[in-house]
Amino acid sequence: MTSPLQQKIKITGPSIITANRTWDGAVIYRTGTKSWSDELTDAAIVRTADEARALLSEAVADDLNAIGPYIAPVEVATDGAVKPGNMREHIRLTGTTIALPAQA
Amino acid sequence: MYAYDDIDRTLVNERVAEFRDQVKRRLSGELTEDEFKILRLQNGVYLQLHAYMYRIAIPYGTLSSEQLRRLAHVARRYDRGYGHFTTRQNIQFNWIKLAELPDAMADLAEVGIQSMQTSGNNMRNVTSDQWAGVAPGEVEDPRIWAELLRQFTTLHPEFSFLPRKFKIAITASAHDRAAIKIHDIGLRLLKNEQGETGFEVLVGGGLGRSPFIAKTIKPFVHGHDILSYVEAILRVYNQYGRRDNIYKARIKILVHELGIETFAAEVEEEWQQIRDGVLKLDDGIVEDIRSRFFYPAYETLPHMPDELRQAAHDPKFEAWRKNSVVAHKVQGYAIVTVSLKPIGKPPGDATADQMDALADIADKYSFGEIRVGHEQNLALPHVRKRDLPAVWKALDAIGLAIPNVNLVSDIIACPGLDYCSLANARSIPIAQEITRRFANHDTANLIGRLHINISGCINACGHHHVGHIGILGVEKNNEEFYQITIGGRADEGAVLGTLIGPAVPYAEVADVVEDIVEAYLALRASPEELFVDTVARLGVEPFRERVYATR
C-alpha cells in the first residue's frame, strides 16, 4: 500500500488534513497543536505543498488514533469561516444529505 | 431453514474470539492499520465516509425470525436503528463503532449469523433465488447446493487470497431471479436426460468498470462433480488472474482475454486431475445437507379461501395482492414480496422496529421464515392464502404494504456518496426523487415492469449496467453528473444497457427518467410490451432524441 507521504502532493488552495478516528470511525481533522478534532473549525489550514506534507506526515505518524489521513480542500471566507471544498467533504462534515430511516 | 451443527457454531464462535483479540490489539496500537485492515476486511468491516460499515452475510437470502430480530437488536444497540439490505443478500450497518464490533459479532453468532468473507479478495456470500424451495416449476431447491458451496469455500486456503473478490450465484428456475449472468460463476441447476441433478456452469460475468455477461463454460456438470469443477475454475483463476492491476484482476477479464474456449480448456485439464478425488460428492453428503434444511408442514388448503374472496372487494388490498403476491408451489399458499422501497425513502433500508415487526409477522404467518432478494426487497415465503388479508394489514401498519414490486419506484440503489468512500455521486436522493415523481400507483401500473438501477460510482454496486434504466453517478469538475443507459436486464436474458448520451446534472436526472418513460408510453406497441422490450425493438435512438432534443 502506497503511503500518502509517497504520493506527489499538489494543492491548489487552502487545505486541511482529515482522517477517521480509529475506535469509532468518526470524521476528524488535524489541528495545529498535534492533535485531532471533530470540528472543521479547529483544523489547521495549509496553503503550500510543504506545509501540507509536514502536517500530513505528523498525522500519518499517529496511526493509533487516526486512519487514512489525506489532504482535503477547504474554502476560507474573508471573515475566516472555513467550509468543505467539495461535496464529499461537505457530506463527511455534515452527515448524509438524506434523513436517516430511523429518524424520518 | 438450515440448521447449523456444532462445527458451524464452533467455527463462528472461534472467529468472534479471534476478531475480538484483533480489535483489542488494534486499539492498543499493537497492530497498525495496515496490518489490521486485511483482518477487518475478512470480517466484513469497511471504513466509509462517516464511520465503519459492517456487512453481514445472509447466505442464499434465507433468514429466520429469530435472526431478523437479532439484526434489529444490533441495529438498535450498536448502530442508528436501521440496516441496509444490499444487492448480494447481505445487510450493512453504517454507523458501527470498531470498539463495539466484537460484541455485535458475538450477539449475531448466537443465532448463526456471521460476516466472514463479506469483503476482501475471497469467496463472497453464495447467493440464490429468494424464492428458492417455494417457486412453482423449480427443478429442486438450489439452497442445498448453495450451502455445500458455502461450506466448501468458507476459509478454504486456496480461496482466501484470490486475485480479487469472487461471487457465485445459483438458481434452479427458468426465470433467473438470482442474476447469475453477472456473477463470477453462475450456476443454473437442471436435470440431464437420466434425471440426474447437475448444473449449467457460467463464468466471467460481472459489472464494475468492465462489465461482462457470463458465458457458459460447460452445459452440464453433474452435481457430484460441482465442487471439483468450481475448484478447477478457481485454480485456473488463481494461477493466471492478474494481481498487478486491480482493474484487471477479476475473472471476467481473464476469461475475456483468454477467450472462453481457451479458458475452458485450461479448466478442463485441471478438472480431469481432481474430479475423481476427495471433492467428489456422494449422495450421502448431499442428503446430509438436505436433511438439515427444514420445510414447513404444509396443510391441505383450498386454492381460493373465503377470506381472500372477501378481501378482494377492497381495492387497496387487491392492488397490493396483484403486485406483491405470487403463486407458491403448494396449493393454498403464496409468496409475499415485502417492498423495501417506500416512496421517498432510501431503497433497501429497514428500521429495527420494522425488522422486529416483520419477524413477528413471519412467525405468525410464514413459519418464521423471511427471504432477502438481490433487488433489496424481502419476502415471506410460506403464507397461507387465507392469511393474506391479515398479512397485508400487518405490513401496512409498519409502512411496508407497498404495491410497487417490479414497478418504476422499485429502485435498486447503492448507498452512494451519502455513505460510501468510493462513490463519486449520490444515489439515494436520486432514487427518492424518482419515486416521488412516480408515486401514483395507477401511473406506475400503467407503465408496468420497469427496473431502475442506480450506482454512485463505476464499481456498480447498484447494478446500473443491467437496469432497464441504469443511472451511473460520475464527478465532473466537482459536480455530480449522471450517465443514463437503457435496455439492460439482469435475468436469464441478461444484457448490458446502452448509453443514451452525455451525462446530465443531478437536478435533471428525474426529469430525464420522466422523459424516457413518456417516450416509452408513446412508442410501445401495446400495453403488454414491457419497457425493456420496446428498447430492444426500437433501439435507443428514439429515447435519445426525446431526452436530448431540448437539452
Side-chain angles (χ1 to χ4, degrees):
Chain A
M1 186 175 163
T2 308
S3 160
L5 294 172
Q6 292 172 303
Q7 295 166 3
K8 190 174 179 183
I9 292 176
K10 184 182 176 187
I11 61 174
T12 56
S15 302
I16 49 100
I17 306 296
T18 182
N20 290 80
R21 191 161 53 205
T22 302
W23 74 271
D24 66 350
V27 175
I28 49 176
Y29 302 96
R30 191 69 183 175
T31 71
T33 56
K34 298 188 187 304
S35 63
W36 296 94
S37 170
D38 51 13
E39 300 288 340
L40 177 61
T41 50
D42 294 335
I45 310 287
V46 292
R47 288 184 164 78
T48 69
D50 285 345
E51 286 176 356
R53 185 177 293 106
L55 194 62
L56 184 60
S57 175
E58 192 185 278
V60 168
D62 188 11
D63 182 73
L64 177 61
N65 293 304
I67 310 169
Y70 62 92
I71 301 165
V74 289
E75 294 174 11
V76 183
T78 49
D79 65 356
V82 181
K83 289 197 310 183
N86 58 35
M87 173 67 85
R88 184 180 197 273
E89 292 307 320
H90 172 78
I91 291 172
R92 287 182 79 241
L93 176 69
T94 59
T96 61
T97 64
I98 53 171
L100 301 186
Q103 299 167 345
Chain B
M1 288 301 306
Y2 177 77
Y4 269 21
D5 62 12
D6 285 342
I7 294 173
D8 296 311
R9 282 189 287 273
T10 301
L11 183 73
V12 172
N13 289 333
E14 285 179 353
R15 176 54 77 99
V16 173
E18 181 184 66
F19 189 64
R20 189 182 294 282
D21 180 59
Q22 290 162 348
V23 169
K24 184 179 169 190
R25 287 191 287 149
R26 171 65 185 126
L27 293 174
S28 71
E30 192 178 333
L31 290 177
T32 66
E33 177 59 18
D34 275 358
E35 291 165 336
F36 179 67
K37 185 177 178 183
I38 190 168
L39 304 174
R40 67 172 163 82
L41 286 177
Q42 286 172 348
N43 290 286
V45 182
Y46 288 76
L47 182 66
Q48 299 289 32
L49 290 187
H50 315 281
Y52 291 96
M53 182 269 279
Y54 184 34
R55 180 182 293 158
I56 293 152
I58 302 167
Y60 32 88
T62 299
L63 272 177
S64 69
S65 54
E66 181 188 34
Q67 289 173 325
L68 187 57
R69 277 192 198 93
R70 194 58 63 95
L71 290 170
H73 158 77
V74 167
R76 203 174 274 123
R77 178 160 180 180
Y78 302 104
D79 208 83
R80 295 194 181 179
Y82 68 99
H84 174 73
F85 290 95
T86 78
T87 52
R88 289 212 76 257
Q89 295 177 327
N90 297 308
I91 185 170
Q92 296 177 173
F93 294 109
N94 290 299
W95 304 93
I96 209 143
K97 296 176 176 65
L98 181 63
E100 294 181 350
L101 256 164
D103 289 340
M105 204 178 265
D107 289 353
L108 293 169
E110 287 177 355
V111 293
I113 299 180
Q114 45 80 27
S115 58
M116 281 182 276
Q117 300 181 191
T118 54
S119 60
N121 294 336
N122 48 44
M123 185 68 72
R124 303 293 185 87
N125 187 30
V126 178
T127 57
S128 190
D129 182 352
Q130 68 270 27
W131 298 351
V134 292
E138 183 177 74
V139 180
E140 65 175 62
D141 191 340
R143 294 175 303 162
I144 283 83
W145 301 92
E147 175 60 22
L148 268 163
L149 285 161
R150 187 192 71 79
Q151 293 188 17
F152 173 56
T153 58
T154 299
L155 303 185
H156 189 309
E158 276 190 60
F159 308 157
S160 294
F161 295 94
L162 295 168
R164 198 73 182 89
K165 59 187 171 182
F166 204 95
K167 302 171 182 177
I168 297 179
I170 175 170
T171 185
S173 287
H175 179 50
D176 176 12
R177 284 174 290 269
I180 67 168
K181 290 189 174 180
I182 57 170
H183 279 75
D184 297 290
I185 291 179
L187 299 174
R188 189 169 71 86
L189 192 151
L190 41 76
K191 299 275 188 185
N192 64 10
E193 289 178 355
Q194 290 72 45
E196 298 165 318
T197 298
F199 300 89
E200 177 189 0
V201 180
L202 298 95
V203 68
L207 301 177
R209 189 174 301 265
S210 306
F212 289 99
I213 299 298
K215 299 172 180 70
T216 298
I217 181 171
K218 206 165 183 66
F220 187 83
V221 173
H222 197 288
H224 292 164
D225 298 321
I226 194 60
L227 297 190
S228 62
Y229 197 77
V230 166
E231 171 126 338
I233 290 173
L234 279 151
R235 283 186 173 186
V236 171
Y237 174 49
N238 240 337
Q239 184 172 1
Y240 297 117
R242 303 239 337 229
R243 287 180 156 84
D244 62 322
N245 184 338
I246 192 172
Y247 302 121
K248 297 188 175 181
R250 295 290 293 270
I251 196 172
K252 62 189 175 184
I253 304 294
L254 181 64
V255 171
H256 176 68
E257 291 187 348
L258 286 180
I260 186 68
E261 292 81 10
T262 304
F263 183 83
E266 291 279 352
V267 171
E268 189 70 21
E269 186 180 341
E270 182 66 37
W271 185 46
Q272 292 305 330
Q273 295 179 48
I274 61 174
R275 63 179 295 186
D276 293 320
V278 294
L279 295 178
K280 192 104 179 169
L281 289 169
D282 61 37
D283 289 339
I285 293 172
V286 179
E287 290 313 309
D288 180 51
I289 296 289
R290 197 186 307 276
S291 73
R292 283 191 267 150
F293 276 87
F294 294 98
Y295 295 90
Y298 296 116
E299 303 166 64
T300 301
L301 296 172
H303 171 65
M304 179 55 79
D306 290 342
E307 293 88 343
L308 195 53
R309 196 173 282 116
Q310 287 163 12
H313 297 299
D314 183 334
K316 283 189 175 174
F317 170 79
E318 269 302 90
W320 172 82
R321 185 192 63 77
K322 285 179 179 172
N323 173 266
S324 303
V325 179
V326 296
H328 192 282
K329 69 178 184 181
V330 177
Q331 178 180 293
Y333 288 83
I335 305 166
V336 172
T337 297
V338 180
S339 168
L340 292 182
K341 315 293 175 62
I343 301 300
K345 299 288 175 63
D349 284 2
T351 65
D353 290 347
Q354 286 173 325
M355 290 188 232
D356 275 339
L358 267 170
D360 292 345
I361 294 168
D363 275 342
K364 199 166 179 184
Y365 301 113
S366 185
F367 296 91
E369 194 173 327
I370 303 99
R371 302 289 181 85
V372 183
H374 88 271
E375 299 91 347
Q376 301 179 287
N377 290 322
L378 304 180
L380 299 167
H382 321 280
V383 179
R384 295 174 195 88
K385 283 185 170 179
R386 70 175 182 228
D387 291 334
L388 284 170
V391 167
W392 171 64
K393 283 181 185 165
L395 290 174
D396 195 40
I398 55 171
L400 294 180
I402 311 152
N404 66 349
V405 176
N406 288 322
L407 300 180
V408 63
S409 53
D410 183 5
I411 295 172
I412 290 175
C414 73
L417 190 55
D418 278 295
Y419 293 98
C420 179
S421 63
L422 298 176
N424 299 120
R426 288 172 289 168
S427 302
I428 295 170
I430 296 285
Q432 290 174 308
E433 179 58 19
I434 294 170
T435 63
R436 289 186 198 103
R437 300 284 181 101
F438 296 98
N440 183 293
H441 181 66
D442 292 337
T443 305
N445 254 342
L446 177 75
I447 297 163
R449 191 181 186 107
L450 205 172
H451 298 166
I452 297 179
N453 295 3
I454 309 173
S455 302
C457 78
I458 195 62
N459 292 300
C461 294
H463 295 181
H464 64 275
H465 298 100
V466 289
H468 296 176
I469 297 176
I471 300 172
L472 165 64
V474 296
E475 184 248 320
K476 284 185 180 181
N477 300 323
N478 228 1
E479 299 286 332
E480 296 166 289
F481 276 76
Y482 295 83
Q483 296 178 353
I484 312 290
T485 53
I486 60 172
R489 55 195 298 174
D491 58 9
E492 62 281 3
V495 63
L496 303 173
T498 303
L499 189 67
I500 62 166
V504 298
Y506 177 88
E508 292 184 26
V509 176
D511 293 341
V512 167
V513 171
E514 282 193 313
D515 285 351
I516 292 170
V517 171
E518 284 173 13
Y520 156 65
L521 292 174
L523 291 165
R524 67 184 179 185
S526 71
E528 287 73 40
E529 185 179 63
L530 302 183
F531 172 82
V532 75
D533 294 328
T534 302
V535 177
R537 179 170 59 84
L538 296 175
V540 302
E541 198 54 41
F543 298 93
R544 188 199 317 267
E545 282 177 18
R546 175 61 183 255
V547 169
Y548 293 101
T550 56
R551 287 188 171 84

